[in-house]
Amino acid sequence: MDITDPDVIIAGAGMAGATLALSLAQAGLKPLLVDPAPFETQLAPTFDGRASAIAYAAFRQWRALGLAEALAPHAQRIEQILVTDGRAPGAATPAALPFHLRFDSAEIADRSDGEPLGYLLENRQIRAVLSKAVIEAGIPVLAPAKVASAAFEKGGAVVSLEDGRVITAPLAIGAEGRGSVLRKAAGIGALGWDYRQTGVVATVRLERPHEGVAHEYFLPSGPFAILPLTDNRASLVWTESTARGAALKSARPEVFHAHLMRRFGAFLGNARLDGPVFSYPLSLQLAERFTAPRLALLGDAAHGVHPIAGQGLNLGLKGAAALAEVLVDAARLGEDLGSEVVLERYGRWRRFDTALLSAGMDAFVHLFSNDNPVLRLARGAGMSAVNRIPVARRMFMQQAGGAFGDLPRLLRGEAL
């Protein structure tokens, strides 16, 4: 494995980091991945309960990188999204609720080339496909190897690992999560707050076909999402207060199932747990800047948002597409990849869009995670209005599908 003279050091071999590495390598650049976990754990389909709703534009990116065939068996098309403003006990409430939204992929088929609203994939399957592609592309990976410190000098980024090795490149990418060592080494602060909520995550096997329909119920304690997976399973993202989330996580299987069916209702028959129950704390974190001399931030190192609209990974993939395009174009012009002139193109491209979406998700959390009667009336009226205006519905669907605004070439399905 040749780790000498890389063009880019990418700290973090997760989904965003690996996608960026593949994009750069296919365009002729030499990325080097560094990750604290043994790389075999990425290849093994280790179950952590999480699944991601991938916008159809983000899936085009993987298609352009030649990954669609390997991902397709694990990708469930999302044909419809049903959004309901509910009250306890939630999805099981027998009476029809007056406020709802229905999004249907058929409405934008002429604009999306017949794509669904998105694809639901388990994170473990995405990681395995990306990691296999990294190995097949011959991209060097240092793992397990943890970044200890970094210095950003005039001639390049100098990254020191905990095992004593030192690697250098014109540019380093911090893609190692919210606690990014590279972000801190560059003196970039982060804004954010704790939502005092927990996302309880589980996979269930359904008695009746889900037909590719995703359900999101906005309840006083937070959203409750039923997201369709392959093999007639569903991924549940159940938002609760921190205390209730901990109680659900530790509940006996029969107790959890009773609470689940009370929330879930019987419209898809019995929902049987298919694997363990997991929980994750929910918070907002946004880096003050996405770039510094010799450094760019990507994925959760740049932004961590609430999963209320499933946009976290999509933001990271959109960032990977934009950063890859900026770097590849700069390399073809003979520019210094780590120069502030080059990196500012990436920061300018992604900063406003990311801040706007993060603020929107934060507003959604506060607007929908409560039972205030005035807010309930206002959000219900808004949902009903959007539901009656086809143009507004199509705009929301295109936005959720990632096909809105100034798209990088990869998100348009074009090679770099």
Side-chain angles (χ1 to χ4, degrees), residues 104-406:
D104 194 319
S105 61
E107 284 194 66
I108 58 168
D110 57 333
R111 305 181 187 189
S112 65
D113 298 322
E115 295 273 15
L117 296 174
Y119 297 85
L120 223 296
L121 294 100
E122 292 170 275
N123 288 8
R124 58 175 177 159
Q125 304 293 359
I126 300 172
R127 287 195 303 266
V129 169
L130 288 173
S131 301
K132 186 171 183 289
V134 164
I135 292 172
E136 291 175 348
I139 298 171
V141 182
L142 297 181
K146 190 172 183 180
V147 175
S149 63
F152 304 100
E153 302 173 353
K154 186 175 181 180
V158 181
V159 178
S160 301
L161 306 181
E162 285 190 346
D163 61 13
R165 285 179 289 181
V166 177
I167 49 180
T168 62
L171 174 65
I173 308 294
E176 73 274 52
R178 296 190 182 208
S180 172
V181 174
L182 293 183
R183 187 189 70 234
K184 294 173 183 176
I188 299 176
L191 309 171
W193 42 82
D194 186 351
Y195 286 116
R196 292 181 292 180
Q197 290 180 327
T198 294
V200 179
V201 178
T203 300
V204 295
R205 194 167 293 278
L206 305 174
E207 185 179 3
R208 298 174 187 158
H210 56 57
E211 298 179 339
V213 180
H215 300 263
E216 182 128 25
Y217 296 88
F218 289 118
L219 305 173
S221 59
F224 177 69
I226 304 168
L227 308 173
L229 288 170
T230 55
D231 197 23
N232 206 44
R233 296 170 301 145
S235 174
L236 304 183
V237 183
W238 185 343
T239 307
E240 281 287 2
S241 66
T242 301
R244 289 181 180 178
L248 280 170
K249 169 70 173 63
S250 59
R252 298 192 311 275
E254 60 272 21
V255 174
F256 182 89
H257 185 263
H259 282 286
L260 168 65
M261 292 310 297
R262 185 168 177 263
R263 275 289 171 91
F264 204 102
F267 73 105
L268 289 173
N270 187 42
R272 180 167 48 86
L273 269 176
D274 189 22
V277 177
F278 300 85
S279 65
Y280 301 94
L282 304 179
S283 62
L284 172 72
Q285 181 175 289
L286 186 64
E288 293 175 345
R289 308 190 310 276
F290 287 2
T291 66
R294 303 287 168 194
L295 173 70
L297 300 178
L298 179 67
D300 283 355
H303 43 70
V305 298
H306 195 285
I308 193 168
Q311 291 299 310
L313 178 55
N314 289 304
L315 270 178
L317 294 175
K318 196 169 186 178
L323 183 53
E325 185 168 323
V326 166
L327 296 179
V328 169
D329 287 351
R332 288 170 180 163
L333 292 171
E335 296 180 287
D336 179 354
L337 298 184
S339 69
E340 292 183 64
V341 172
V342 170
L343 297 179
E344 179 54 24
R345 295 172 197 155
Y346 165 65
R348 189 168 57 245
W349 196 351
R350 295 301 308 136
R351 190 165 42 232
F352 178 75
D353 181 44
T354 303
L356 187 65
L357 192 143
S358 299
M361 294 305 97
D362 184 64
F364 258 67
V365 173
H366 290 98
L367 178 62
F368 284 96
S369 294
N370 66 76
D371 202 25
N372 182 293
V374 176
L375 289 179
R376 179 176 287 279
L377 181 62
R379 71 199 187 206
M383 290 171 66
S384 296
V386 171
N387 208 43
R388 290 196 301 268
I389 304 172
V391 173
R393 282 201 312 275
R394 287 194 288 269
M395 184 189 72
F396 272 101
M397 284 187 277
Q398 282 188 278
Q399 177 70 44
F404 202 81
D406 185 11

Side-chain angles (χ1 to χ4, degrees), residues 45-106:
T46 306
F47 186 72
D48 68 357
R50 288 182 286 190
S52 294
I54 305 300
Y56 66 79
F59 199 83
R60 285 177 185 167
Q61 177 180 16
W62 286 337
R63 189 176 289 124
L65 296 174
L67 305 175
E69 185 176 349
L71 288 168
H74 313 293
Q76 171 62 51
R77 290 171 60 98
I78 303 174
E79 301 293 359
Q80 292 184 21
I81 301 174
L82 303 182
V83 183
T84 306
D85 192 7
R87 284 193 172 92
T93 304
L97 293 161
F99 304 132
H100 67 278
L101 272 170
R102 178 188 294 270
F103 297 119
D104 194 319
S105 61

